Amino acid sequence: MKFERRLLLRERGSGVFEKLWQIPWVFVLLLCAVAGVGYVALYSAGGGSPDPYAGRHAIRFGFGLVMMLSIALVDIRLIARFAWVGYAMGVGLLVLVALHGQVGKGAQRWIDIGPVQLQPSELMKIMLVVALASWFHKASWERIGNPLFLIPPIIAVLVPAAMIFKQPNLGTSLITLMIGGAVFFAAGVRLWKFALVVGAVAIVAPIVYENLHDYQRARITTFLDPESDPLGAGYNIIQSKIALGSGGFWGKGFLQGTQGHLNFLPEKQTDFIFTMLAEEFGLVGGLSVLGLLACVIAFGFLVALRSRHQFGRLLAVGLATNYFLYVFVNIAMVTGSIPVGGVPLPLISHGGSAMITVMIGFGLLMSAHVHRDAEMGAERDET
Amino acid sequence: MSRKQREEERVRGIFGRRALLLGAGQMGLLGFLAHRLHTLQVDEGERYATLAEENRLSARLLAPPRGRVLDREGRVIAGNQLNWRALLVAEQTSDVGATLETLTKIIPLTDAERARIEREVRRRRRFVPVVVREFLSWEEMARIELNAPDLPGISVDVGTTRIYAEGEHLAHIVGYVAPPAERDMDGDPLLELPGIRVGRAGIERHHDLALRGRAGAVQLEVNAVGRVIRELDRREGVQGQDVQLSVDAELQKSIRGKIEEGTSVVLMDARNGELLAMATQPSFDPNVFNSGVSAAQWREWTANRATPLINKATNGLYAPGSTFKMVVALAGLEARVVTPGERVTCPGYMDLGDSRFHCWHRPGHGGVDMRTALKVSCDVYFYEVAKRVGMDRIAAMARRFGLGVPLEIELPGTRPGLVPTREWRQAQGRPWALGDTVVHGIGQGFYQLTPLSLATMTARLATGRAVQPHLTRSIGGRPVRGVRAEDWPSLGIPERDLRLVREAMWAVVNEQGGTARIARLPPELGAMAGKTGTTQVRRVSREQRERGFRVDQMPREWRPHALFVAFAPMENPIFAVSVVVEHGTSGSAAAAPLAKDVLVEAFQRLRPGPGGLPARVAEAPRSAIPPVRP
C-alpha cells in the first residue's frame, strides 16, 4: 500500500480539475452526436413529436452523461480493485432476475428497480470485461500460456453466459461469449487454443440446436429463408428490408418514411430504429450513422493502444468490442444479414437499460483514458 | 531494463498486434454492413420501393347507387333507400369471436347470424368488410358508435338498399335483388363489395348490368392494420342507369284490385307491343328478398298451391280454347281450303269415323259462314276447317302470331309455350290422328299457351305486324327499339283476311248473338273487338252429358278456364288485352266483362291521343356516391 501511495504522488495531475481536463471531450461530443441522431430518429418514430420517445431519450441521455463523467473521474486502480466485487454483483443480479424477474417475450430478462427496468445481462457484460481485464493484468506471457491459469477466467465467462442462455436469451449469451473471447484474444491467449474451442463448438452446436426453444429455431430458419413465412416470423425482416431498400440513396425525407409511419415496420422505436433512419435519410444517412458509430468504436481501440497498463488496454478493447457487437448485430439484423436477435442500438434506440449500461461502460473507458499513464501494481503482486 | 520490463514490453507488443487485428476485423465487419446497405438501398432499391408502395396503397371500390326502375309516368317502382349497417373488418380485430360476443350484448345476434358472419369472414379476404347487420335503427347505430372502443373491427356505415314502393303489385315484372351468390361473380369487382345486390328476377335481372353501374375507386394510404390514413386519388364510378318501363303502376294496381286468385290480365299497346299492365294474383313482396328470406316464408310461398312466386301471365300454361279460332280461320284462308262466304252446316256435332265431336251449342248453328262461325264460336265449322287445312299449317300460322315460340319479353324464365305439331306428337312415339287435328281446330288439346302470348296474338291480329311484347321504354333516358309501330315487320297476311277476322271479332262483342255482347264498351270509347274462350280442364264424358251434367255443380278445380282476348278501338286499335280466369267456367261470363273493365280503365287513365300513349320522361336523379369514411 505504501508503494502505491508513492506512485500516486508521482502521477501527473491528480486533482479533479486536472482530471476534467484529461477527459476526452471530443469523444463526449461524438456520443452527443450519436444520441442526437437517436433523438431525431425517435422524434420521427413518435410520429413527428418528442412524445413519447425522443423527449425521454434526451432526459435519459443527460442522466447517463452525468453518470458517465462521474465514472470517468474514478481512479482506475479503484476500479481494478473492486473488479471482482462488481462481477459478483452482476452474477447476483442475474440470480435475482432468474428468481423474481419480469417475464417478457417468453424470457426472464427484466428486473424492476424503482421506476426503471434493468436488464442485468447488459450490466453483466461490462462487469465481465472489468473482471477479465483485472485477471489478465500483469500476467506474463508464460503464465498466460499455462492452461491452469485460464480455467478461472473461462469459468467467469461461462457462468454468466449460461445464466443468460437459460433466461432464455440466446443472442446476449452469444455476445457475452464473444466479448470474453475478445479479451482472451487481446490478452495473448495462444491462437491454437482458440482453434480448439472453435472445433469443439462445431461439434457441440448441433446438440445445442436440438435444445433451443422453438422460437429461437424459428429465428434461425426464417433467417435462412424469410420469405417462407411472410406473415409470421419472417414479417419483421421482410418489412425492414422493404423499408431500407425503398429509402434508396437519398431517403424519403424526414418524417416521410411510409414503412415506419404506417406501422409496417415493427418495433421501429427499438430494434428497428436504424431501419427507420435509413428509410428516411437513405444510404447517405445510413452510412453517416455507421461512420459515426465506427468512430466511437475506433476511439475505444485508440484508448487501448495509448494506455500504459494492461488493465486499461484490455478494459478498453473489451468495452469497445461490447459496443461494436451491439452495432454489428443490430444493423446486421435489420438488414437481414443475421437472425433477428432483439438487440437494440444503444444511444439511438428507445430503451433505458442498454443506454445506461453502455454509458457506464463508456465512463470506464474514459477513466482508462484519463488514467492511461497510471502506474498500476498487479492485484496479485509478484513481489 | 529488468526482466519484468522486458516481459511487459513483450505482452504489450502482442497486445498491440492483436488489438489492431481485432479493430481491423471490426471495421471490416462494419464495412460489410455498409456494403449490405448499398446493395439494399441502391442495387435493389427500386424493387423495394415498389414493395413499399404496395404496402402503403390500397384501392377501395365505391359502390354506385343502383339505377331506378320507373313506370311510364316516371313513378319510382324500384328505388334506393339509405341503410345503416354494421360492418366487421376481420383484419382490425385480433379475435372475431370476442368482438361478436361483445356486440351481441348491444344488438342481439342469433346463432344463425353469427354462423353466417363467421362463414363470410373465412371466405373473404381479411380486409374486406363483412356485413354484420343491416337496417339498423338510429338507436342501435348510436349504441354501436358509443361502444366503439370495445368493438375493434366493427364500424357503422351507410349504404343503400332496394325499396319497391308498389310491393307485390309489380313484383312479377320488376323482380327482386339479392346478395350475389358464387355463380353471380362475373369478374366485376363491384360484386365483392359488402351489401351489394344483384338482380335475381324480372327486370332487375334482365337489366342488371345497366342498373348496376360501374364501381368507382379510391386509392387510399393505409397503415399496417389497414386503417385508412388519407385519400390519395378518387375515380368516381358510373351510376346505374334508370330503366323506364312501359307499365303504368297505377293501372296495374287497379287491375290487380279487380282480379281474383288464379287470374291473369295482360294489357298491351297493340301498335308496338309495350306492356301497359300485366297483373296476376297472388303475388309476393319483393322487399322481403332484400334482407334475406326466412325459411318459414320460403316454405309458405313454395307450399302455396296458388304459386305466388310464379308469374302466371308469362309462365302459366293454358289451352287457348276458342280464342284460337282466328288463327285456324286465317290458316284456312291462306291455304285456300275455305272461302269467307262458304257455309258449313252445324247440326250440333260432327262425326269422324266412329267418334262424334260436339259443338258447344247442342242444337247446332245450322249453316254458318266464317264471320258467323267466329261470332257464335261454332265448333263444328272449325272442326271442318281444321280437318281441311291440317295441323302443321295451323301450327305454322300460330307461330307467326307469337304462339308457342319464345318472345322477346325482358323477363327471364318466361315460357315459350307449346303449339303441337304432328312431328312433335310423333317424337313422343304417338301417332297424330285426324281426330287430334279436329280437336286442335277449336283450341283444345295439347296447347300450352301463356296469357302473354295470347295478348301478343291479339295485338298482331289488330295491327298485322309482328309486334313483340316488351317492358322497357328507355335505359338511361335513351329510348329502346320498338317504341314506334314501324319498328315491327308486317306479318305478311293479306289485309282482306285480317279485316274479315277483326270484323268477326267486332261482331262477337257488338252484334246480336255474339258471345261477348255483355262486354260492349261505352259508345264514347269506341268499339271493342274480342273473342271468348272456355277450355275444359277435365274431360266431360258422354254419360255425364246425357245425365244433364251442369258445370256449376263441379268442384271449383274441375271447372273450365275462362278466356277472353280483345283489342280496341276497332278502328286504329290501341289496346290489346288477354284475360285468363282459372276455373272461371265461362269466357263470356267471367273473362269478357273483366276485359271490358280493364279497357275502360285503360282509356280513362292513359287517355290515348293521336300520337300514341302519353308517357313522361323521368327527371334526372339524385343522391351522390357516399364518401368513404376514414
Side-chain angles (χ1 to χ4, degrees):
Chain A
M1 293 304 275
K2 231 177 175 183
F3 175 66
E4 276 182 34
R5 195 169 295 132
R6 187 159 47 82
L7 285 175
L8 209 70
L9 289 173
R10 258 171 50 186
E11 199 182 315
R12 165 178 77 190
S14 60
V16 170
F17 289 103
E18 298 273 355
K19 281 187 178 183
L20 275 175
W21 182 247
Q22 288 296 317
I23 281 178
W25 290 104
V26 173
F27 183 64
V28 174
L29 277 179
L30 198 62
L31 292 181
C32 287
V34 173
V37 167
Y39 185 88
V40 168
L42 290 169
Y43 186 86
S44 181
S49 154
D51 225 30
Y53 308 126
R56 283 161 66 191
H57 181 79
I59 291 165
R60 247 190 238 122
F61 179 73
F63 175 71
L65 209 60
V66 171
M67 192 162 68
M68 181 177 76
L69 292 174
S70 311
I71 293 171
L73 299 178
V74 173
D75 195 304
I76 191 85
R77 281 155 295 203
L78 208 61
I79 293 165
R81 192 183 296 163
F82 290 104
W84 290 96
V85 177
Y87 177 84
M89 272 169 55
V91 173
L93 282 173
L94 280 176
V95 172
L96 203 66
V97 83
L99 297 176
H100 302 293
Q102 300 291 315
V103 175
K105 291 186 185 173
Q108 286 180 306
R109 292 176 186 176
W110 304 92
I111 191 162
D112 275 319
I113 302 171
V116 286
Q117 290 180 315
L118 186 74
Q119 236 175 326
S121 56
E122 306 278 358
L123 196 62
M124 188 66 236
K125 288 185 286 184
I126 308 287
M127 295 310 174
L128 179 65
V129 168
V130 179
L132 290 178
S134 93
W135 179 263
F136 287 111
H137 176 58
K138 288 276 177 183
S140 66
W141 177 244
E142 282 77 20
R143 236 174 142 177
I144 291 167
N146 180 3
L148 290 177
F149 177 75
L150 295 180
I151 289 173
I154 286 174
I155 291 169
V157 173
L158 287 182
V159 166
M163 290 178 77
I164 295 166
F165 179 73
K166 284 303 280 183
Q167 278 183 346
N169 186 345
L170 173 65
T172 309
S173 175
L174 285 175
I175 287 173
T176 309
L177 289 176
M178 281 188 246
I179 291 169
V183 178
F184 274 57
F185 179 74
V189 174
R190 306 296 189 270
L191 290 174
W192 64 265
K193 286 177 181 146
F194 282 96
L196 199 71
V197 171
V198 169
V201 166
I203 295 163
V204 174
I207 300 161
V208 173
Y209 182 79
E210 288 299 310
N211 292 309
L212 288 178
H213 269 248
D214 281 345
Y215 85 96
Q216 289 168 325
R217 280 196 224 173
R219 278 180 181 170
I220 292 167
T221 44
T222 56
F223 158 64
L224 294 173
D225 183 14
E227 338 275 309
S228 67
D229 185 14
L231 290 177
Y235 178 86
N236 292 3
I237 294 177
I238 291 170
Q239 293 302 336
S240 176
K241 282 165 78 176
I242 290 174
L244 284 169
S246 63
F249 189 80
W250 292 108
K252 295 176 185 170
F254 185 50
L255 303 178
Q256 302 296 313
T258 59
Q259 288 282 102
H261 286 284
L262 299 173
N263 290 329
F264 290 100
L265 200 58
E267 317 230 356
K268 57 174 184 284
Q269 76 281 15
T270 57
D271 293 0
F272 289 91
I273 193 73
F274 184 81
T275 308
M276 180 109 195
L277 274 169
E279 186 190 10
E280 298 194 347
F281 298 103
L283 182 67
V284 175
L287 290 184
S288 305
V289 174
L290 205 58
L292 216 55
L293 296 173
C295 288
V296 171
I297 294 159
F299 178 80
F301 280 91
L302 207 69
V303 170
L305 292 175
R306 288 179 64 183
S307 175
R308 288 182 58 188
H309 43 82
Q310 188 74 347
F311 179 75
R313 293 179 196 131
L314 293 177
L315 188 70
V317 163
L319 293 172
T321 303
N322 180 38
Y323 194 66
F324 162 78
L325 284 169
Y326 274 118
V327 171
F328 179 76
V329 172
N330 177 274
I331 296 177
M333 170 181 91
V334 301
T335 53
S337 313
I338 63 162
V340 178
V343 173
L345 190 58
L347 296 183
I348 297 181
S349 51
H350 177 72
S353 185
M355 179 153 101
I356 294 300
T357 45
V358 158
M359 290 185 83
I360 290 173
F362 287 141
L364 295 171
L365 186 72
M366 282 154 76
S367 171
H369 179 78
V370 171
H371 305 92
R372 61 188 177 277
D373 293 329
E375 291 281 349
M376 285 189 69
E379 285 302 293
R380 303 171 311 283
D381 209 326
E382 284 168 281
T383 48
Chain B
M1 211 47 145
S2 66
R3 188 184 63 82
K4 194 178 159 192
Q5 275 175 320
R6 276 202 312 280
E7 185 63 28
E8 263 191 10
E9 281 305 308
R10 190 176 181 191
V11 170
R12 189 181 169 180
I14 291 166
F15 172 83
R17 286 198 298 279
R18 292 196 171 186
L20 279 175
L21 212 62
L22 259 182
Q26 292 183 5
M27 291 305 135
L29 285 170
L30 292 182
F32 162 75
L33 291 181
H35 168 73
R36 181 94 183 117
L37 274 180
H38 184 269
T39 308
L40 282 172
Q41 299 196 280
V42 177
D43 299 345
E44 299 174 9
E46 277 185 33
R47 183 167 78 91
Y48 285 114
T50 312
L51 289 173
E53 288 296 285
E54 279 174 18
N55 264 346
R56 172 173 88 96
L57 301 176
S58 165
R60 289 216 183 150
L61 293 173
L62 296 174
R66 192 173 171 85
R68 301 173 304 174
V69 181
L70 312 166
D71 85 342
R72 71 181 300 119
E73 291 291 324
R75 302 180 190 103
V76 178
I77 302 169
N80 301 313
Q81 196 184 37
L82 289 185
N83 167 20
W84 294 96
R85 56 197 186 170
L87 301 177
L88 170 67
V89 179
E91 199 178 55
Q92 290 171 7
T93 173
S94 51
D95 186 346
V96 171
T99 298
L100 290 179
E101 194 62 50
T102 317
L103 187 65
T104 299
K105 291 178 195 139
I106 299 163
I107 49 167
L109 296 170
T110 64
D111 286 348
E113 276 181 302
R114 289 191 56 166
R116 174 191 63 80
I117 293 161
E118 279 165 10
R119 193 173 60 242
E120 281 198 45
V121 164
R122 280 194 303 275
R123 201 162 57 97
R124 295 182 189 228
R125 282 174 286 173
R126 289 183 62 75
F127 58 81
V128 174
V130 166
V131 177
V132 173
R133 173 68 76 74
E134 292 192 283
F135 313 108
L136 295 173
S137 65
W138 267 101
E139 197 194 341
E140 287 173 321
M141 190 185 72
R143 280 218 298 270
I144 291 175
E145 295 279 20
L146 201 66
N147 290 288
D150 299 330
L151 295 167
I154 298 282
S155 57
V156 174
D157 87 340
V158 60
T160 58
T161 184
R162 208 62 166 158
I163 180 144
Y164 301 99
E166 306 299 347
E168 62 165 29
H169 292 297
L170 284 145
H172 287 139
I173 293 171
V174 179
Y176 51 86
V177 291
E182 217 61 63
R183 65 190 149 80
D184 294 314
M185 298 294 182
D186 53 9
D188 185 348
L190 191 55
L191 297 186
E192 278 196 43
L193 285 175
I196 199 81
R197 299 284 188 269
V198 294
R200 259 299 141 64
I203 291 295
E204 291 273 29
R205 176 157 163 207
H206 183 85
H207 288 308
D208 191 44
L209 285 181
L211 289 166
R212 195 192 287 172
R214 274 209 308 283
V218 276
Q219 196 170 45
L220 301 168
E221 187 174 73
V222 295
N223 70 4
V225 293
R227 186 171 295 281
V228 176
I229 304 301
R230 62 196 161 126
E231 190 177 303
L232 300 173
D233 187 28
R234 173 180 270 256
R235 203 181 67 239
E236 297 292 347
V238 177
Q239 296 193 352
Q241 294 177 303
D242 285 349
V243 171
Q244 188 172 27
L245 301 185
S246 54
V247 294
D248 185 297
E250 292 300 318
L251 182 62
Q252 170 90 358
K253 262 157 70 178
S254 166
I255 293 171
R256 287 195 79 250
K258 297 181 202 295
I259 62 178
E260 291 174 5
E261 198 170 288
T263 298
S264 307
V265 174
V266 178
L267 178 69
M268 191 185 281
D269 187 332
R271 299 162 301 180
N272 60 9
E274 279 181 0
L275 289 164
L276 304 169
M278 181 161 58
T280 63
Q281 286 277 21
S283 181
F284 61 93
D285 183 0
N287 291 305
V288 175
F289 282 88
N290 234 337
S291 45
V293 177
S294 70
Q297 173 75 76
W298 187 253
R299 268 198 305 278
E300 189 196 312
W301 280 339
T302 49
N304 188 341
R305 293 192 55 200
T307 61
L309 291 178
I310 291 172
N311 181 3
K312 292 181 190 64
T314 58
N315 290 41
L317 296 173
Y318 307 93
S322 300
T323 60
F324 192 73
K325 284 174 178 166
M326 289 80 82
V327 173
V328 178
L330 288 169
L333 290 171
E334 191 173 73
R336 299 179 187 284
V337 295
V338 64
T339 60
E342 182 186 341
R343 281 175 181 276
V344 173
T345 306
C346 168
Y349 59 87
M350 176 176 152
D351 284 326
L352 191 72
D354 48 3
S355 299
R356 172 163 288 192
F357 296 90
H358 290 275
C359 186
W360 70 271
H361 188 58
R362 308 313 304 277
H365 291 102
V368 287
D369 62 6
M370 184 173 280
R371 185 175 186 278
T372 315
L374 279 168
K375 173 181 152 192
V376 299
S377 201
C378 175
D379 289 339
V380 171
Y381 178 90
F382 288 97
Y383 292 151
E384 180 60 31
V385 174
K387 200 174 77 178
R388 294 184 196 169
V389 73
M391 190 61 215
D392 288 353
R393 283 192 282 200
I394 294 173
M397 183 58 75
R399 285 196 291 272
R400 281 160 79 182
F401 279 93
L403 302 172
V405 290
L407 298 170
E408 288 177 14
I409 180 85
E410 304 95 318
L411 299 180
T414 295
R415 301 179 72 160
L418 173 77
V419 174
T421 59
R422 285 190 303 176
E423 205 180 333
W424 169 82
R425 190 64 175 155
Q426 279 152 12
Q428 295 182 319
R430 303 284 187 78
W432 184 270
L434 191 55
D436 289 328
T437 305
V438 168
V439 169
H440 284 80
I442 62 160
Q444 302 281 4
F446 299 118
Y447 298 105
Q448 294 188 329
L449 298 178
T450 61
L452 178 70
S453 66
L454 292 174
T456 306
M457 173 193 79
T458 312
R460 291 183 180 191
L461 279 171
T463 61
R465 290 180 185 276
V467 296
Q468 284 281 359
H470 60 273
L471 286 157
T472 314
R473 278 186 70 85
S474 66
I475 297 171
R478 287 183 305 283
V480 298
R481 187 189 76 97
V483 173
R484 298 175 312 145
E486 298 75 44
D487 289 344
W488 305 102
S490 166
L491 282 174
I493 294 168
E495 188 60 25
R496 183 185 65 240
D497 295 358
L498 286 170
R499 199 178 309 126
L500 173 76
V501 170
R502 290 181 198 139
E503 276 173 11
M505 288 171 76
W506 174 84
V508 168
V509 183
N510 299 291
E511 270 187 13
Q512 200 64 252
T515 55
R517 259 185 67 76
I518 187 174
R520 284 193 312 281
L521 287 180
E524 68 274 15
L525 297 181
M528 175 213 314
K531 184 72 194 81
T532 55
T534 305
T535 67
Q536 293 170 7
V537 290
R538 269 182 85 85
R539 208 179 159 77
V540 182
S541 68
R542 182 175 298 178
E543 294 91 301
Q544 280 174 312
R545 238 183 263 272
E546 280 161 5
R547 270 189 270 117
F549 153 86
R550 285 183 50 140
V551 88
D552 51 5
Q553 290 165 352
M554 290 171 111
R556 182 176 154 80
E557 63 269 27
W558 291 8
R559 293 182 198 163
H561 295 326
L563 288 83
F564 190 71
V565 299
F567 62 86
M570 173 65 188
E571 304 301 328
N572 298 319
I574 295 169
F575 299 113
V577 65
S578 75
V579 174
V580 176
V581 182
E582 284 182 8
H583 312 295
T585 308
S586 158
S588 314
L594 178 56
K596 174 202 158 188
D597 282 357
V598 167
L599 283 173
V600 168
E601 176 119 24
F603 274 110
Q604 283 170 352
R605 283 193 185 275
L606 299 177
R607 301 190 178 284
L613 294 177
R616 203 159 292 151
V617 177
E619 70 272 25
R622 77 242 149 188
S623 64
I625 297 175
V628 171
R629 300 199 311 171

